[in-house]
Amino acid sequence: MAEIKIDYAELKKGGFMVQKQKGYGSLRLRVIGGNLTADNIKTVAEVADKYGKGYVHMTSRQGIEIPFIKASELEEVKKALKAGGVEAGVCGPRVRTVTACQGSEICPSGCIDTYTLAKELDARYFGRELPHKFKFGVTGCQNNCLKAEENDIGIKGGLKINYKEDDCIDCGVCVKACIKGALSEKDGKIVLDADKCNNCGRCVKSCPTDAWEGTPGYIVSFGGTFGNFIYKGEELVPFIEDKDTLFRVTDAAIEYFEENANKSERFRKTLERLGDAELRKRLTAAIENK
């Protein structure tokens, strides 16, 4: 009987990565924003027991991989996972699963709903074919637990602040809470140095009288990488105040990368080769909705 040929390059697109052990691979799962339901986890455990070696690997990007899956059983494995609401991830030159911290729905420091945003970004871009891999990371605040700037596009939550002097009792709590030195007291009044403010929202969250109010928004960085080549993504646009503008900006960045990157070239390398002037122009046009 002739041996069945397996196209491992094609399987890799669907998250199946070849192992050292012949005929086996580690199957990457699609975990959006780091969240799985209890039923999802039960399904993964059952599949790992039945088709793998009874364990899973937790990746550095909030993913799950099931090692020791036989290539010959891959379709059966995917069907079993799908029955429990779990899908395979992707590898190779395409948009990867979006990662996220717990955000404002769980974390007291969070400024934005990171999980909802991660799901929206995933629905918009997941699996899109590009010259190289492309990663999104969403973090809820300036504590930056998810290390947003390590991603091709990193998104941090922030607050656009507004001071209501009439509600202030001059307790000084906000001044102490501000770690950037943007707030000070002068002649019994609170003074804001806007150039020092990083939209962290600590003044809003600490104020006992709600004299500070904050509107959630997004701090976006571009071209981050980690691994053999490390580069901190740069904030090429001002604070973004609404989600529609955010999506126009992310659309513009991905389209620029798709049109200008060489094959197997990361976003950062494209920007180093061409400079960022044209990207900045496109991002500005996206913000202005032109």
Side-chain angles (χ1 to χ4, degrees), residues 96-147:
R96 305 296 181 84
T97 305
V98 182
T99 58
C101 71
Q102 297 213 68
S104 60
E105 298 303 289
I106 301 292
C107 178
S109 297
C111 297
I112 58 170
D113 179 354
T114 53
Y115 183 54
T116 295
L117 179 56
K119 288 191 292 183
E120 292 168 337
L121 289 166
D122 182 88
R124 198 175 186 95
Y125 302 118
F126 176 73
R128 179 168 171 170
E129 300 285 333
L130 292 170
H132 206 330
K133 61 185 173 184
F134 201 95
K135 299 177 180 179
F136 283 90
V138 183
T139 200
C141 68
Q142 286 284 13
N143 289 339
N144 204 9
C145 296
L146 199 90
K147 305 175 182 66

mmCIF file of all heavy atoms in Angstrom, residues 96-147:
data_model
loop_
_atom_site.group_PDB
_atom_site.id
_atom_site.type_symbol
_atom_site.label_atom_id
_atom_site.label_comp_id
_atom_site.label_asym_id
_atom_site.label_seq_id
_atom_site.Cartn_x
_atom_site.Cartn_y
_atom_site.Cartn_z
ATOM 1 N N ARG A 96 -2.195 36.539 13.641
ATOM 2 C CA ARG A 96 -2.324 35.535 14.695
ATOM 3 C C ARG A 96 -3.476 35.883 15.641
ATOM 4 O O ARG A 96 -4.064 36.954 15.581
ATOM 5 C CB ARG A 96 -1.011 35.436 15.471
ATOM 6 C CG ARG A 96 0.222 35.161 14.604
ATOM 7 C CD ARG A 96 0.137 33.804 13.924
ATOM 8 N NE ARG A 96 1.316 33.515 13.109
ATOM 9 C CZ ARG A 96 2.461 33.015 13.561
ATOM 10 N NH1 ARG A 96 2.620 32.788 14.850
ATOM 11 N NH2 ARG A 96 3.458 32.770 12.722
ATOM 12 N N THR A 97 -3.753 34.974 16.563
ATOM 13 C CA THR A 97 -4.798 35.205 17.556
ATOM 14 C C THR A 97 -4.457 36.427 18.411
ATOM 15 O O THR A 97 -3.304 36.622 18.799
ATOM 16 C CB THR A 97 -4.950 33.968 18.457
ATOM 17 O OG1 THR A 97 -5.195 32.830 17.637
ATOM 18 C CG2 THR A 97 -6.120 34.145 19.399
ATOM 19 N N VAL A 98 -5.457 37.243 18.696
ATOM 20 C CA VAL A 98 -5.258 38.472 19.463
ATOM 21 C C VAL A 98 -5.166 38.149 20.956
ATOM 22 O O VAL A 98 -6.004 37.429 21.497
ATOM 23 C CB VAL A 98 -6.418 39.458 19.220
ATOM 24 C CG1 VAL A 98 -6.189 40.758 19.986
ATOM 25 C CG2 VAL A 98 -6.571 39.736 17.726
ATOM 26 N N THR A 99 -4.147 38.695 21.605
ATOM 27 C CA THR A 99 -3.972 38.485 23.043
ATOM 28 C C THR A 99 -4.503 39.693 23.819
ATOM 29 O O THR A 99 -4.578 40.800 23.290
ATOM 30 C CB THR A 99 -2.490 38.268 23.400
ATOM 31 O OG1 THR A 99 -1.730 39.407 22.966
ATOM 32 C CG2 THR A 99 -1.950 37.021 22.723
ATOM 33 N N ALA A 100 -4.859 39.481 25.074
ATOM 34 C CA ALA A 100 -5.393 40.584 25.886
ATOM 35 C C ALA A 100 -5.280 40.259 27.369
ATOM 36 O O ALA A 100 -5.327 39.093 27.772
ATOM 37 C CB ALA A 100 -6.861 40.853 25.533
ATOM 38 N N CYS A 101 -5.142 41.304 28.184
ATOM 39 C CA CYS A 101 -5.245 41.142 29.636
ATOM 40 C C CYS A 101 -6.736 41.161 30.002
ATOM 41 O O CYS A 101 -7.600 41.225 29.127
ATOM 42 C CB CYS A 101 -4.481 42.251 30.349
ATOM 43 S SG CYS A 101 -5.279 43.876 30.228
ATOM 44 N N GLN A 102 -7.055 41.138 31.283
ATOM 45 C CA GLN A 102 -8.464 41.043 31.691
ATOM 46 C C GLN A 102 -9.223 42.360 31.561
ATOM 47 O O GLN A 102 -10.444 42.371 31.463
ATOM 48 C CB GLN A 102 -8.569 40.505 33.115
ATOM 49 C CG GLN A 102 -8.020 39.090 33.251
ATOM 50 C CD GLN A 102 -8.757 38.294 34.289
ATOM 51 O OE1 GLN A 102 -9.915 37.961 34.130
ATOM 52 N NE2 GLN A 102 -8.070 37.966 35.380
ATOM 53 N N GLY A 103 -8.526 43.485 31.578
ATOM 54 C CA GLY A 103 -9.161 44.758 31.299
ATOM 55 C C GLY A 103 -10.149 45.234 32.342
ATOM 56 O O GLY A 103 -10.246 44.695 33.444
ATOM 57 N N SER A 104 -10.911 46.253 31.947
ATOM 58 C CA SER A 104 -11.760 46.971 32.899
ATOM 59 C C SER A 104 -12.926 46.155 33.444
ATOM 60 O O SER A 104 -13.501 46.504 34.473
ATOM 61 C CB SER A 104 -12.318 48.243 32.245
ATOM 62 O OG SER A 104 -13.099 47.916 31.106
ATOM 63 N N GLU A 105 -13.279 45.061 32.772
ATOM 64 C CA GLU A 105 -14.386 44.243 33.269
ATOM 65 C C GLU A 105 -14.012 43.460 34.522
ATOM 66 O O GLU A 105 -14.882 43.026 35.272
ATOM 67 C CB GLU A 105 -14.843 43.268 32.171
ATOM 68 C CG GLU A 105 -15.373 43.947 30.918
ATOM 69 C CD GLU A 105 -16.521 44.885 31.217
ATOM 70 O OE1 GLU A 105 -17.614 44.380 31.550
ATOM 71 O OE2 GLU A 105 -16.330 46.110 31.120
ATOM 72 N N ILE A 106 -12.711 43.282 34.749
ATOM 73 C CA ILE A 106 -12.224 42.504 35.893
ATOM 74 C C ILE A 106 -11.247 43.310 36.741
ATOM 75 O O ILE A 106 -11.332 43.327 37.974
ATOM 76 C CB ILE A 106 -11.530 41.205 35.413
ATOM 77 C CG1 ILE A 106 -12.487 40.332 34.599
ATOM 78 C CG2 ILE A 106 -10.940 40.436 36.595
ATOM 79 C CD1 ILE A 106 -13.623 39.738 35.394
ATOM 80 N N CYS A 107 -10.311 43.967 36.097
ATOM 81 C CA CYS A 107 -9.188 44.603 36.797
ATOM 82 C C CYS A 107 -9.523 46.038 37.217
ATOM 83 O O CYS A 107 -9.972 46.834 36.382
ATOM 84 C CB CYS A 107 -7.962 44.601 35.892
ATOM 85 S SG CYS A 107 -6.519 45.412 36.615
ATOM 86 N N PRO A 108 -9.300 46.397 38.483
ATOM 87 C CA PRO A 108 -9.570 47.769 38.936
ATOM 88 C C PRO A 108 -8.759 48.826 38.195
ATOM 89 O O PRO A 108 -9.187 49.976 38.095
ATOM 90 C CB PRO A 108 -9.178 47.726 40.421
ATOM 91 C CG PRO A 108 -9.260 46.295 40.812
ATOM 92 C CD PRO A 108 -8.857 45.524 39.587
ATOM 93 N N SER A 109 -7.595 48.447 37.664
ATOM 94 C CA SER A 109 -6.757 49.411 36.951
ATOM 95 C C SER A 109 -7.164 49.589 35.491
ATOM 96 O O SER A 109 -6.752 50.542 34.832
ATOM 97 C CB SER A 109 -5.285 48.957 36.993
ATOM 98 O OG SER A 109 -4.801 48.915 38.308
ATOM 99 N N GLY A 110 -7.969 48.664 34.975
ATOM 100 C CA GLY A 110 -8.306 48.674 33.552
ATOM 101 C C GLY A 110 -9.088 49.901 33.131
ATOM 102 O O GLY A 110 -9.996 50.353 33.836
ATOM 103 N N CYS A 111 -8.751 50.410 31.941
ATOM 104 C CA CYS A 111 -9.440 51.580 31.388
ATOM 105 C C CYS A 111 -10.366 51.210 30.236
ATOM 106 O O CYS A 111 -11.258 51.997 29.889
ATOM 107 C CB CYS A 111 -8.422 52.609 30.898
ATOM 108 S SG CYS A 111 -7.363 53.291 32.199
ATOM 109 N N ILE A 112 -10.154 50.060 29.605
ATOM 110 C CA ILE A 112 -10.984 49.636 28.481
ATOM 111 C C ILE A 112 -11.365 48.166 28.642
ATOM 112 O O ILE A 112 -10.707 47.404 29.351
ATOM 113 C CB ILE A 112 -10.262 49.822 27.123
ATOM 114 C CG1 ILE A 112 -8.947 49.027 27.088
ATOM 115 C CG2 ILE A 112 -10.033 51.287 26.819
ATOM 116 C CD1 ILE A 112 -8.301 48.966 25.715
ATOM 117 N N ASP A 113 -12.435 47.795 27.929
ATOM 118 C CA ASP A 113 -12.890 46.406 27.894
ATOM 119 C C ASP A 113 -12.028 45.657 26.875
ATOM 120 O O ASP A 113 -12.318 45.637 25.681
ATOM 121 C CB ASP A 113 -14.364 46.364 27.511
ATOM 122 C CG ASP A 113 -14.929 44.951 27.434
ATOM 123 O OD1 ASP A 113 -14.161 43.977 27.574
ATOM 124 O OD2 ASP A 113 -16.149 44.821 27.209
ATOM 125 N N THR A 114 -10.959 45.063 27.346
ATOM 126 C CA THR A 114 -9.961 44.454 26.459
ATOM 127 C C THR A 114 -10.486 43.212 25.742
ATOM 128 O O THR A 114 -10.154 42.980 24.574
ATOM 129 C CB THR A 114 -8.714 44.062 27.258
ATOM 130 O OG1 THR A 114 -9.118 43.257 28.377
ATOM 131 C CG2 THR A 114 -7.976 45.282 27.771
ATOM 132 N N TYR A 115 -11.286 42.410 26.427
ATOM 133 C CA TYR A 115 -11.736 41.152 25.823
ATOM 134 C C TYR A 115 -12.687 41.407 24.660
ATOM 135 O O TYR A 115 -12.583 40.773 23.601
ATOM 136 C CB TYR A 115 -12.385 40.254 26.869
ATOM 137 C CG TYR A 115 -12.816 38.907 26.318
ATOM 138 C CD1 TYR A 115 -11.912 38.094 25.647
ATOM 139 C CD2 TYR A 115 -14.127 38.470 26.461
ATOM 140 C CE1 TYR A 115 -12.294 36.865 25.122
ATOM 141 C CE2 TYR A 115 -14.518 37.237 25.948
ATOM 142 C CZ TYR A 115 -13.603 36.445 25.278
ATOM 143 O OH TYR A 115 -13.984 35.234 24.757
ATOM 144 N N THR A 116 -13.610 42.340 24.843
ATOM 145 C CA THR A 116 -14.508 42.683 23.736
ATOM 146 C C THR A 116 -13.717 43.205 22.546
ATOM 147 O O THR A 116 -13.971 42.820 21.391
ATOM 148 C CB THR A 116 -15.542 43.736 24.187
ATOM 149 O OG1 THR A 116 -16.381 43.158 25.191
ATOM 150 C CG2 THR A 116 -16.410 44.192 23.023
ATOM 151 N N LEU A 117 -12.733 44.075 22.813
ATOM 152 C CA LEU A 117 -11.908 44.601 21.727
ATOM 153 C C LEU A 117 -11.106 43.494 21.054
ATOM 154 O O LEU A 117 -10.989 43.454 19.824
ATOM 155 C CB LEU A 117 -10.964 45.689 22.261
ATOM 156 C CG LEU A 117 -10.019 46.311 21.230
ATOM 157 C CD1 LEU A 117 -10.787 46.891 20.045
ATOM 158 C CD2 LEU A 117 -9.146 47.377 21.886
ATOM 159 N N ALA A 118 -10.564 42.566 21.844
ATOM 160 C CA ALA A 118 -9.807 41.449 21.272
ATOM 161 C C ALA A 118 -10.683 40.607 20.343
ATOM 162 O O ALA A 118 -10.250 40.207 19.256
ATOM 163 C CB ALA A 118 -9.226 40.580 22.382
ATOM 164 N N LYS A 119 -11.925 40.353 20.757
ATOM 165 C CA LYS A 119 -12.839 39.576 19.908
ATOM 166 C C LYS A 119 -13.153 40.323 18.609
ATOM 167 O O LYS A 119 -13.239 39.709 17.533
ATOM 168 C CB LYS A 119 -14.136 39.269 20.666
ATOM 169 C CG LYS A 119 -13.979 38.235 21.773
ATOM 170 C CD LYS A 119 -15.312 37.768 22.306
ATOM 171 C CE LYS A 119 -16.035 38.867 23.051
ATOM 172 N NZ LYS A 119 -17.314 38.401 23.646
ATOM 173 N N GLU A 120 -13.308 41.637 18.703
ATOM 174 C CA GLU A 120 -13.606 42.427 17.507
ATOM 175 C C GLU A 120 -12.419 42.462 16.553
ATOM 176 O O GLU A 120 -12.586 42.355 15.329
ATOM 177 C CB GLU A 120 -14.020 43.841 17.918
ATOM 178 C CG GLU A 120 -15.356 43.886 18.630
ATOM 179 C CD GLU A 120 -15.655 45.221 19.287
ATOM 180 O OE1 GLU A 120 -14.704 45.973 19.575
ATOM 181 O OE2 GLU A 120 -16.843 45.505 19.524
ATOM 182 N N LEU A 121 -11.230 42.617 17.099
ATOM 183 C CA LEU A 121 -10.028 42.599 16.260
ATOM 184 C C LEU A 121 -9.837 41.223 15.623
ATOM 185 O O LEU A 121 -9.474 41.107 14.447
ATOM 186 C CB LEU A 121 -8.800 42.968 17.093
ATOM 187 C CG LEU A 121 -8.699 44.424 17.539
ATOM 188 C CD1 LEU A 121 -7.635 44.566 18.624
ATOM 189 C CD2 LEU A 121 -8.375 45.341 16.363
ATOM 190 N N ASP A 122 -10.084 40.183 16.411
ATOM 191 C CA ASP A 122 -9.957 38.819 15.906
ATOM 192 C C ASP A 122 -10.936 38.577 14.745
ATOM 193 O O ASP A 122 -10.570 38.028 13.709
ATOM 194 C CB ASP A 122 -10.220 37.827 17.037
ATOM 195 C CG ASP A 122 -10.066 36.383 16.602
ATOM 196 O OD1 ASP A 122 -8.942 35.862 16.665
ATOM 197 O OD2 ASP A 122 -11.091 35.780 16.193
ATOM 198 N N ALA A 123 -12.184 39.010 14.932
ATOM 199 C CA ALA A 123 -13.190 38.827 13.883
ATOM 200 C C ALA A 123 -12.819 39.603 12.623
ATOM 201 O O ALA A 123 -13.116 39.174 11.501
ATOM 202 C CB ALA A 123 -14.551 39.281 14.393
ATOM 203 N N ARG A 124 -12.148 40.705 12.802
ATOM 204 C CA ARG A 124 -11.799 41.588 11.680
ATOM 205 C C ARG A 124 -10.572 41.096 10.905
ATOM 206 O O ARG A 124 -10.506 41.233 9.674
ATOM 207 C CB ARG A 124 -11.533 42.991 12.236
ATOM 208 C CG ARG A 124 -11.569 44.127 11.217
ATOM 209 C CD ARG A 124 -11.400 45.454 11.948
ATOM 210 N NE ARG A 124 -11.567 46.597 11.067
ATOM 211 C CZ ARG A 124 -12.695 47.275 10.903
ATOM 212 N NH1 ARG A 124 -13.770 46.905 11.570
ATOM 213 N NH2 ARG A 124 -12.762 48.309 10.079
ATOM 214 N N TYR A 125 -9.607 40.490 11.617
ATOM 215 C CA TYR A 125 -8.312 40.233 10.985
ATOM 216 C C TYR A 125 -7.791 38.791 11.068
ATOM 217 O O TYR A 125 -6.871 38.435 10.325
ATOM 218 C CB TYR A 125 -7.238 41.130 11.615
ATOM 219 C CG TYR A 125 -7.502 42.603 11.525
ATOM 220 C CD1 TYR A 125 -7.662 43.365 12.682
ATOM 221 C CD2 TYR A 125 -7.600 43.249 10.296
ATOM 222 C CE1 TYR A 125 -7.892 44.729 12.620
ATOM 223 C CE2 TYR A 125 -7.829 44.613 10.217
ATOM 224 C CZ TYR A 125 -7.976 45.353 11.380
ATOM 225 O OH TYR A 125 -8.208 46.695 11.310
ATOM 226 N N PHE A 126 -8.304 37.984 11.964
ATOM 227 C CA PHE A 126 -7.692 36.675 12.223
ATOM 228 C C PHE A 126 -7.488 35.859 10.943
ATOM 229 O O PHE A 126 -8.395 35.705 10.129
ATOM 230 C CB PHE A 126 -8.548 35.864 13.190
ATOM 231 C CG PHE A 126 -8.041 34.467 13.434
ATOM 232 C CD1 PHE A 126 -6.914 34.252 14.206
ATOM 233 C CD2 PHE A 126 -8.679 33.369 12.876
ATOM 234 C CE1 PHE A 126 -6.439 32.972 14.426
ATOM 235 C CE2 PHE A 126 -8.222 32.085 13.091
ATOM 236 C CZ PHE A 126 -7.090 31.888 13.868
ATOM 237 N N GLY A 127 -6.269 35.355 10.782
ATOM 238 C CA GLY A 127 -5.956 34.481 9.658
ATOM 239 C C GLY A 127 -5.686 35.196 8.347
ATOM 240 O O GLY A 127 -5.410 34.541 7.330
ATOM 241 N N ARG A 128 -5.743 36.518 8.340
ATOM 242 C CA ARG A 128 -5.505 37.266 7.093
ATOM 243 C C ARG A 128 -4.096 37.008 6.591
ATOM 244 O O ARG A 128 -3.121 37.112 7.323
ATOM 245 C CB ARG A 128 -5.726 38.753 7.342
ATOM 246 C CG ARG A 128 -5.473 39.639 6.116
ATOM 247 C CD ARG A 128 -5.986 41.021 6.374
ATOM 248 N NE ARG A 128 -5.600 41.975 5.348
ATOM 249 C CZ ARG A 128 -6.086 43.209 5.259
ATOM 250 N NH1 ARG A 128 -6.979 43.621 6.141
ATOM 251 N NH2 ARG A 128 -5.693 44.028 4.319
ATOM 252 N N GLU A 129 -3.986 36.663 5.321
ATOM 253 C CA GLU A 129 -2.690 36.362 4.712
ATOM 254 C C GLU A 129 -1.893 37.648 4.527
ATOM 255 O O GLU A 129 -2.393 38.634 3.966
ATOM 256 C CB GLU A 129 -2.892 35.685 3.354
ATOM 257 C CG GLU A 129 -3.649 34.367 3.415
ATOM 258 C CD GLU A 129 -2.786 33.231 3.954
ATOM 259 O OE1 GLU A 129 -1.556 33.296 3.804
ATOM 260 O OE2 GLU A 129 -3.354 32.274 4.519
ATOM 261 N N LEU A 130 -0.644 37.638 4.987
ATOM 262 C CA LEU A 130 0.231 38.803 4.911
ATOM 263 C C LEU A 130 1.652 38.353 4.556
ATOM 264 O O LEU A 130 1.939 37.149 4.543
ATOM 265 C CB LEU A 130 0.231 39.542 6.255
ATOM 266 C CG LEU A 130 -1.071 40.249 6.656
ATOM 267 C CD1 LEU A 130 -0.993 40.719 8.096
ATOM 268 C CD2 LEU A 130 -1.386 41.410 5.730
ATOM 269 N N PRO A 131 2.564 39.282 4.269
ATOM 270 C CA PRO A 131 3.945 38.880 3.945
ATOM 271 C C PRO A 131 4.656 38.144 5.078
ATOM 272 O O PRO A 131 5.575 37.363 4.831
ATOM 273 C CB PRO A 131 4.633 40.219 3.634
ATOM 274 C CG PRO A 131 3.524 41.107 3.171
ATOM 275 C CD PRO A 131 2.352 40.714 4.015
ATOM 276 N N HIS A 132 4.272 38.410 6.306
ATOM 277 C CA HIS A 132 4.855 37.718 7.469
ATOM 278 C C HIS A 132 3.799 37.705 8.574
ATOM 279 O O HIS A 132 2.730 38.280 8.444
ATOM 280 C CB HIS A 132 6.118 38.443 7.932
ATOM 281 C CG HIS A 132 7.109 37.561 8.650
ATOM 282 N ND1 HIS A 132 6.733 36.453 9.398
ATOM 283 C CD2 HIS A 132 8.459 37.608 8.744
ATOM 284 C CE1 HIS A 132 7.813 35.876 9.906
ATOM 285 N NE2 HIS A 132 8.879 36.566 9.527
ATOM 286 N N LYS A 133 4.127 37.032 9.664
ATOM 287 C CA LYS A 133 3.187 36.982 10.791
ATOM 288 C C LYS A 133 2.928 38.388 11.316
ATOM 289 O O LYS A 133 3.777 39.280 11.214
ATOM 290 C CB LYS A 133 3.720 36.080 11.899
ATOM 291 C CG LYS A 133 5.039 36.513 12.513
ATOM 292 C CD LYS A 133 5.514 35.462 13.500
ATOM 293 C CE LYS A 133 6.911 35.773 14.005
ATOM 294 N NZ LYS A 133 7.430 34.722 14.897
ATOM 295 N N PHE A 134 1.753 38.556 11.903
ATOM 296 C CA PHE A 134 1.342 39.871 12.389
ATOM 297 C C PHE A 134 0.570 39.674 13.690
ATOM 298 O O PHE A 134 -0.399 38.925 13.733
ATOM 299 C CB PHE A 134 0.457 40.559 11.349
ATOM 300 C CG PHE A 134 0.383 42.052 11.500
ATOM 301 C CD1 PHE A 134 1.221 42.879 10.768
ATOM 302 C CD2 PHE A 134 -0.525 42.633 12.374
ATOM 303 C CE1 PHE A 134 1.148 44.265 10.892
ATOM 304 C CE2 PHE A 134 -0.601 44.010 12.514
ATOM 305 C CZ PHE A 134 0.239 44.834 11.764
ATOM 306 N N LYS A 135 1.025 40.374 14.736
ATOM 307 C CA LYS A 135 0.473 40.146 16.069
ATOM 308 C C LYS A 135 -0.154 41.404 16.651
ATOM 309 O O LYS A 135 0.408 42.495 16.555
ATOM 310 C CB LYS A 135 1.574 39.647 17.012
ATOM 311 C CG LYS A 135 2.191 38.325 16.577
ATOM 312 C CD LYS A 135 3.324 37.914 17.491
ATOM 313 C CE LYS A 135 3.935 36.597 17.050
ATOM 314 N NZ LYS A 135 5.059 36.192 17.932
ATOM 315 N N PHE A 136 -1.321 41.206 17.274
ATOM 316 C CA PHE A 136 -1.998 42.240 18.043
ATOM 317 C C PHE A 136 -1.923 41.887 19.522
ATOM 318 O O PHE A 136 -2.090 40.721 19.899
ATOM 319 C CB PHE A 136 -3.485 42.322 17.674
ATOM 320 C CG PHE A 136 -3.791 43.015 16.386
ATOM 321 C CD1 PHE A 136 -3.845 42.302 15.201
ATOM 322 C CD2 PHE A 136 -4.058 44.374 16.353
ATOM 323 C CE1 PHE A 136 -4.158 42.927 14.008
ATOM 324 C CE2 PHE A 136 -4.368 45.013 15.161
ATOM 325 C CZ PHE A 136 -4.420 44.290 13.984
ATOM 326 N N GLY A 137 -1.721 42.898 20.348
ATOM 327 C CA GLY A 137 -1.814 42.717 21.788
ATOM 328 C C GLY A 137 -2.598 43.865 22.394
ATOM 329 O O GLY A 137 -2.351 45.028 22.056
ATOM 330 N N VAL A 138 -3.546 43.547 23.280
ATOM 331 C CA VAL A 138 -4.396 44.569 23.898
ATOM 332 C C VAL A 138 -4.200 44.528 25.408
ATOM 333 O O VAL A 138 -4.378 43.480 26.039
ATOM 334 C CB VAL A 138 -5.885 44.324 23.566
ATOM 335 C CG1 VAL A 138 -6.740 45.445 24.147
ATOM 336 C CG2 VAL A 138 -6.096 44.207 22.063
ATOM 337 N N THR A 139 -3.860 45.664 25.984
ATOM 338 C CA THR A 139 -3.676 45.742 27.434
ATOM 339 C C THR A 139 -4.536 46.873 27.977
ATOM 340 O O THR A 139 -4.778 47.867 27.291
ATOM 341 C CB THR A 139 -2.190 45.936 27.791
ATOM 342 O OG1 THR A 139 -1.961 45.557 29.148
ATOM 343 C CG2 THR A 139 -1.709 47.350 27.558
ATOM 344 N N GLY A 140 -5.024 46.717 29.195
ATOM 345 C CA GLY A 140 -6.077 47.590 29.690
ATOM 346 C C GLY A 140 -5.644 48.947 30.188
ATOM 347 O O GLY A 140 -6.463 49.858 30.290
ATOM 348 N N CYS A 141 -4.362 49.102 30.519
ATOM 349 C CA CYS A 141 -3.932 50.368 31.111
ATOM 350 C C CYS A 141 -2.417 50.503 30.977
ATOM 351 O O CYS A 141 -1.741 49.640 30.410
ATOM 352 C CB CYS A 141 -4.346 50.434 32.580
ATOM 353 S SG CYS A 141 -3.456 49.258 33.638
ATOM 354 N N GLN A 142 -1.890 51.569 31.549
ATOM 355 C CA GLN A 142 -0.450 51.828 31.449
ATOM 356 C C GLN A 142 0.383 50.885 32.312
ATOM 357 O O GLN A 142 1.610 50.881 32.182
ATOM 358 C CB GLN A 142 -0.162 53.289 31.846
ATOM 359 C CG GLN A 142 -0.575 54.317 30.806
ATOM 360 C CD GLN A 142 0.380 54.386 29.624
ATOM 361 O OE1 GLN A 142 1.226 53.522 29.438
ATOM 362 N NE2 GLN A 142 0.240 55.420 28.815
ATOM 363 N N ASN A 143 -0.240 50.079 33.151
ATOM 364 C CA ASN A 143 0.534 49.037 33.834
ATOM 365 C C ASN A 143 1.098 48.053 32.814
ATOM 366 O O ASN A 143 2.082 47.370 33.080
ATOM 367 C CB ASN A 143 -0.328 48.296 34.858
ATOM 368 C CG ASN A 143 -0.647 49.153 36.066
ATOM 369 O OD1 ASN A 143 0.045 50.130 36.355
ATOM 370 N ND2 ASN A 143 -1.706 48.798 36.785
ATOM 371 N N ASN A 144 0.413 47.946 31.675
ATOM 372 C CA ASN A 144 0.939 47.252 30.496
ATOM 373 C C ASN A 144 1.316 45.799 30.775
ATOM 374 O O ASN A 144 2.354 45.312 30.335
ATOM 375 C CB ASN A 144 2.168 48.011 29.963
ATOM 376 C CG ASN A 144 2.420 47.754 28.484
ATOM 377 O OD1 ASN A 144 1.608 47.146 27.788
ATOM 378 N ND2 ASN A 144 3.567 48.202 28.008
ATOM 379 N N CYS A 145 0.439 45.095 31.484
ATOM 380 C CA CYS A 145 0.721 43.702 31.831
ATOM 381 C C CYS A 145 0.959 42.844 30.598
ATOM 382 O O CYS A 145 1.720 41.871 30.636
ATOM 383 C CB CYS A 145 -0.442 43.122 32.641
ATOM 384 S SG CYS A 145 -0.689 43.916 34.240
ATOM 385 N N LEU A 146 0.307 43.182 29.489
ATOM 386 C CA LEU A 146 0.436 42.367 28.291
ATOM 387 C C LEU A 146 1.628 42.775 27.423
ATOM 388 O O LEU A 146 1.902 42.143 26.412
ATOM 389 C CB LEU A 146 -0.848 42.438 27.453
ATOM 390 C CG LEU A 146 -0.959 41.288 26.472
ATOM 391 C CD1 LEU A 146 -1.688 40.110 27.089
ATOM 392 C CD2 LEU A 146 -1.626 41.725 25.183
ATOM 393 N N LYS A 147 2.332 43.852 27.813
ATOM 394 C CA LYS A 147 3.500 44.323 27.048
ATOM 395 C C LYS A 147 3.106 44.635 25.603
ATOM 396 O O LYS A 147 3.600 44.044 24.647
ATOM 397 C CB LYS A 147 4.633 43.299 27.105
ATOM 398 C CG LYS A 147 5.037 42.912 28.522
ATOM 399 C CD LYS A 147 6.082 41.815 28.529
ATOM 400 C CE LYS A 147 6.447 41.405 29.937
ATOM 401 N NZ LYS A 147 5.333 40.769 30.668
#
